[in-house]
Amino acid sequence: MKRLVASLLLALPLVAGCGDASSSDAPPRDDASAIPDDAALLDAPLPDAPASIDAPSPIDAPASIDTPPSAMPDVPSPPPPVDVPVAAPDVPPPPPPPPPPPPPVMACIATAAIGDGGGTCSGIDQAFSARGINAGYYPFRVLRPIVQYSGDHDGDGATVFSAGPRRRGVVLQTIPVGAYVGLSTVPGNYDPPTGCDVATCGNPSRAACGDSSPALRAPVAGFYWGYAYQGASHMQGWINVPSGALEFAGYDPRHPCALGPAGADYEVHSVCGRATACRGTNPTCGQVNRCNEGDDDCGRTQCGAMSGGPLTPTAWRRTVTLPRGHTCTLRDPPNPSVRCLENGRERDFFFVYPFGAYLYWAQNSTTRAWLHDGDRVQVYFHNRDAQGVLWDFVEVLSSGAPTLTPASDGAGAGSGCSDTRPENCHPCRNGGTCGWVQDVFLGG
């Protein structure tokens, strides 16, 4: 076979411009079919070439040059193809693709800062009465331990009720895995379906709210206001929610209803267009918020208040201080350092914490933030309620937790604001923290 190839190569004419095998310009051949560059091979005498060279047979034709017919095996012809009908198996159609997962609950819940809190005492901004503050709660299950704070904290985080070197906020507790958290809705939820008849101190047969699924209260610097339950103290405070730490529990009917720290509120009835379910009785907003709630607010002596009225705030500046309180005997405090205060006939109604006091949206209502010992406030209104407790509506002027209890610039106390011109008073006009606190927590 090599001889035949060599004969073919020598019989072909050289192509002009390509050079011959001895050309120094030709690149070396290094592929498998290259002819060895062997001078002896080129100079060797050639054997006698046949008179003619037959063209090679087509690939499919039987070779007849070197193989005698007697050596060819008898190959039977293949049988003709037969069309055999094949029954298609009964294959069910593929299932439809699964629906896309629902969006994360926190992403589809609307948030709001205050909402509609109804009227205010003497028209003073944010001086709400309890009738207009009708918050509920969104329930979550704790999957990873989370820390609850009273405010800005720069301590080591290991000791509860202990402030750091520059900020007065403290760690309230570490909420364990398996407990539940209720995050507060927007507080202002005043929408009486049939009116409250406030001219007669509020009609107790009417509901002060008809919406049992208000928006979530907007977070502040990533912290949500809420409380813990079922395995943790009911203290209220700021909760940071790291990724994967909370799981929305509202669709699981086995979770305990989030009814607020005192069990007197409601869990939201629907979230992201889907009804919630919980273990226990979950009232509507209107069932636990009647139109006569807070009828003794705003100094309404005709409705039970003992006294009350607006003040000139610049003349009533006070500092948050720790009252004496007494040892709790009817309630179990969350910490041995916590004492109690009475509210009318209820001896252990309020807890006295060693670092500060709750600030409320309205008297005897929902908590808003924490004041810390040493914070400076000015008082716009005071009211002694039907139980004899004196409440003050205040504006924070300086704060030991400036992010979570931000101070106001006090500008709303100008422009003729006084006890005789309360309509000129606009506390927290440019932001800041305003709310109600018991007068016993304010010193000179």
Side-chain angles (χ1 to χ4, degrees):
M1 191 66 182
K2 290 181 180 178
R3 293 177 58 193
L4 180 60
V5 172
S7 300
L8 284 170
L9 289 173
L10 292 173
L12 293 173
L14 292 175
V15 179
C18 292
D20 57 22
S22 63
S23 173
S24 62
D25 296 329
R29 295 291 302 277
D30 57 359
D31 57 72
S33 62
I35 304 298
D37 188 11
D38 191 344
L41 177 62
L42 293 177
D43 294 336
L46 293 173
D48 296 332
S52 63
I53 299 175
D54 294 332
S57 302
I59 293 176
D60 295 333
S64 60
I65 297 176
D66 299 323
T67 305
S70 60
M72 295 293 292
D74 295 332
V75 179
S77 300
V82 179
D83 294 332
V84 178
V86 179
D90 293 332
V91 178
V105 169
M106 296 300 287
C108 72
I109 297 176
T111 61
I114 296 178
D116 182 6
T120 62
C121 297
S122 296
I124 299 173
D125 295 347
Q126 300 189 39
F128 301 114
S129 71
R131 184 181 291 115
I133 302 301
N134 303 311
Y137 293 89
Y138 285 79
F140 291 85
R141 182 181 298 106
V142 179
L143 303 181
R144 289 166 45 195
I146 54 176
V147 180
Q148 184 185 43
Y149 299 91
S150 68
D152 308 26
H153 180 66
D154 61 352
D156 60 13
T159 306
V160 298
F161 297 177
S162 178
R166 294 174 302 277
R167 295 290 181 257
R168 299 192 191 110
V170 304
V171 171
L172 297 175
Q173 63 179 328
T174 297
I175 305 171
V177 173
Y180 289 85
V181 162
L183 299 184
S184 176
T185 71
V186 62
N189 184 26
Y190 181 70
D191 62 334
T194 58
C196 270
D197 193 15
V198 294
T200 59
C201 302
N203 191 329
S205 66
R206 297 181 184 177
C209 51
D211 183 6
S212 294
S213 301
L216 182 69
R217 179 181 171 184
V220 177
F223 287 80
Y224 292 85
W225 186 261
Y227 79 105
Y229 67 108
Q230 290 289 310
S233 169
H234 286 196
M235 286 182 292
Q236 298 137 84
W238 296 105
I239 298 171
N240 181 259
V241 185
S243 177
L246 293 183
E247 175 186 60
F248 182 67
Y251 301 143
D252 181 0
R254 298 168 297 178
H255 85 275
C257 300
L259 302 181
D265 298 307
Y266 61 96
E267 179 177 303
V268 291
H269 283 227
S270 67
V271 175
C272 302
R274 180 178 171 185
T276 59
C278 61
R279 189 177 75 244
T281 301
N282 185 23
T284 65
C285 178
Q287 287 174 325
V288 291
N289 293 284
R290 312 306 290 174
C291 281
N292 65 332
E293 186 177 333
D295 56 359
D296 60 339
D297 293 350
C298 302
R300 292 167 62 90
T301 54
Q302 69 273 31
C303 299
M306 295 185 179
S307 62
L311 301 174
T312 301
T314 53
W316 285 82
R317 292 184 173 173
R318 299 288 185 267
T319 301
V320 178
T321 57
L322 176 66
R324 183 179 180 86
H326 60 260
T327 301
C328 302
T329 57
L330 303 177
R331 298 178 63 190
D332 292 327
N335 185 281
S337 64
V338 176
R339 297 172 68 82
C340 279
L341 279 177
E342 68 280 350
N343 182 16
R345 293 184 297 271
E346 297 189 46
R347 173 175 168 79
D348 292 354
F349 190 84
F350 295 111
F351 284 140
V352 178
Y353 294 87
F355 56 86
Y358 283 122
L359 189 70
Y360 293 78
W361 289 100
Q363 304 165 51
N364 293 304
S365 184
T366 302
T367 54
R368 176 173 185 168
W370 279 93
L371 297 175
H372 297 90
D373 294 345
D375 288 355
R376 192 73 172 162
V377 303
Q378 59 186 5
V379 184
Y380 283 77
F381 197 100
H382 68 178
N383 175 67
R384 191 173 295 277
D385 64 20
Q387 289 77 38
V389 177
L390 181 61
W391 291 84
D392 293 330
F393 179 75
V394 303
E395 174 184 47
V396 178
L397 295 179
S398 66
S399 171
T403 299
L404 297 177
T405 309
S408 168
D409 60 11
S415 303
C417 167
S418 70
D419 57 345
T420 59
R421 299 296 301 273
E423 66 275 10
N424 293 335
C425 298
H426 303 283
C428 294
R429 165 183 281 172
N430 300 318
T433 307
C434 292
W436 293 88
V437 63
Q438 297 99 322
D439 184 78
V440 70
F441 288 100
L442 304 182

